[in-house]
Amino acid sequence: NIGIRRRLRRFFRRDGRALIFAMDHGFEHGPEDFTEVWEHVNPRVILKKVIRAGVDGVMLLPGIARVSGDVLNPNVGLMVKLTSKTNLRPKEDQFLQSPLGFVEDAIKLGADAVAATVYWGSPYEDIMMKQFAEVASIAHDFGLPVVQFSYPRGPYINEKYGKKEDYRVVMYGARAAAEMGADMIKTYWTGSKETFAKVVDAAAGVPVLLSGGAKAKNPLEFLKVVYEVIEAGGAGAVVGRNIFQRENPEPMIKAILRVIHRNEEPEEAAKA
Ligand code: FBP
């Protein structure tokens, strides 16, 4: 599908890799995620900074995409996520994401891709599969790529695998995402290059991107993970907290870009 291929190029450079800035946290975790650097609670402020620093794409929920239209540089890919959940829900309902927008809304916003989460192994897996299938079917009709946030999660995963980042279950989730027709997969770090390479293999050619995770103790620690993701054949990273929870996100973004697009060693990238 030529539309899907062209739109994927809005995110991926010629090397087939991308750094995408994630900012759905105001909904998914609550605005307190931004309080470390208070001015970043204003989406326009942080978006201007990350775009100036050179990210390849941004991932937003529909409402923030709508009010930030004028700051979104047209050279930066726009991914609109169509499912989420709040942190306000009871604990037992945290393993479900719900629709908060529709593919047609994302198209009106000029999205280059849409995204939805599946918590594989959750008691609500069936609901999220249906949501993803519906988003994928409509988006593909319009030539729009679909990104799956493939996150194994829930009591059964903990019971069987001990932790949600166990490569065996991350690999399963990535393959399940590929089987569902995802054009891009975002998933957890499995802890090593060797295990992440297995996740990449299981994804059967669909690009696999790292999901950033909580802010690392220092930039070097995070750059080492990104370096191993690239070494493992990963297609880049979708990063939120490790960028917006820093007072000055620019050096971090530039360092991540050097690791992703220039294969620079993390120590070197951190120094530059
Ligand atoms: P981070 O780089 O901050 O981890 O962002 C990626 C992301 O998937 C966000 O899109 C989302 O809001 C958050 O992580 C969810 O984190 P968790 O599911 O671990 O609470």
Side-chain angles (χ1 to χ4, degrees), residues 219-228 231 255-256 258-260 263-272:
L220 183 60
E221 189 185 305
F222 185 67
L223 293 171
K224 282 183 177 165
V225 171
V226 177
Y227 184 77
E228 295 208 357
E231 289 266 286
I256 302 172
R258 278 195 290 271
V259 172
I260 292 180
N263 291 72
E264 249 179 52
E265 302 268 348
E267 290 78 5
E268 214 174 300
K271 266 190 273 158

Side-chain angles (χ1 to χ4, degrees), residues 24-25 28-29 59 151 153 186 211-213 238-241:
D24 57 345
H25 306 65
E28 199 145 323
H29 292 167
M59 183 277 287
Y151 291 177
R153 196 169 287 201
K186 168 179 185 281
S211 183
V238 185
V239 184
R241 287 164 286 181

Side-chain angles (χ1 to χ4, degrees), residues 22-26 28-29 33 59 81 84-85 87 97 119 149 151 153 164 186 188 211-215 222 238-244:
M23 197 177 61
D24 57 345
H25 306 65
E28 199 145 323
H29 292 167
D33 256 25
M59 183 277 287
K81 189 162 184 261
S84 195
K85 65 164 174 66
N87 226 348
Q97 294 229 343
Y119 290 145
F149 290 19
Y151 291 177
R153 196 169 287 201
K164 62 188 187 343
K186 168 179 185 281
Y188 311 135
S211 183
K215 185 180 164 195
F222 185 67
V238 185
V239 184
R241 287 164 286 181
N242 273 287
I243 291 176
F244 69 69

Side-chain angles (χ1 to χ4, degrees), residues 73-248:
N73 177 329
N75 297 323
V76 172
L78 171 64
M79 183 188 298
V80 174
K81 189 162 184 261
L82 297 173
T83 65
S84 195
K85 65 164 174 66
T86 70
N87 226 348
L88 304 169
R89 288 181 179 184
K91 208 161 163 237
E92 61 277 14
D93 293 335
Q94 287 296 331
F95 302 121
L96 170 68
Q97 294 229 343
S98 313
L100 44 62
F102 303 94
V103 176
E104 291 82 352
D105 303 325
I107 291 170
K108 285 181 209 152
L109 291 164
D112 303 298
V114 287
T117 296
V118 180
Y119 290 145
W120 291 109
S122 137
Y124 305 107
E125 183 190 86
D126 171 57
I127 297 174
M128 286 172 284
M129 279 178 64
K130 282 185 191 138
Q131 283 170 185
F132 186 86
E134 192 179 323
V135 165
S137 161
I138 299 171
H140 285 164
D141 268 354
F142 287 106
L144 203 60
V146 180
V147 185
Q148 185 175 120
F149 290 19
S150 168
Y151 291 177
R153 196 169 287 201
Y156 177 69
I157 298 296
N158 291 340
E159 199 182 295
K160 186 161 179 202
Y161 296 95
K163 56 175 183 180
K164 62 188 187 343
E165 298 85 2
D166 184 307
Y167 84 91
R168 293 167 301 169
V169 66
V170 177
M171 188 169 85
Y172 197 154
R175 179 52 164 259
E179 303 268 12
M180 289 204 77
D183 302 292
M184 213 191 283
I185 297 167
K186 168 179 185 281
T187 195
Y188 311 135
W189 173 233
T190 51
S192 71
K193 180 173 88 180
E194 292 70 25
T195 53
F196 204 80
K198 291 186 199 294
V199 175
V200 170
D201 285 347
V206 180
V208 179
L209 287 89
L210 169 76
S211 183
K215 185 180 164 195
K217 268 190 253 97
N218 57 64
L220 183 60
E221 189 185 305
F222 185 67
L223 293 171
K224 282 183 177 165
V225 171
V226 177
Y227 184 77
E228 295 208 357
V229 164
I230 297 300
E231 289 266 286
V238 185
V239 184
R241 287 164 286 181
N242 273 287
I243 291 176
F244 69 69
Q245 289 182 347
R246 287 179 199 285
E247 184 82 42
N248 181 9

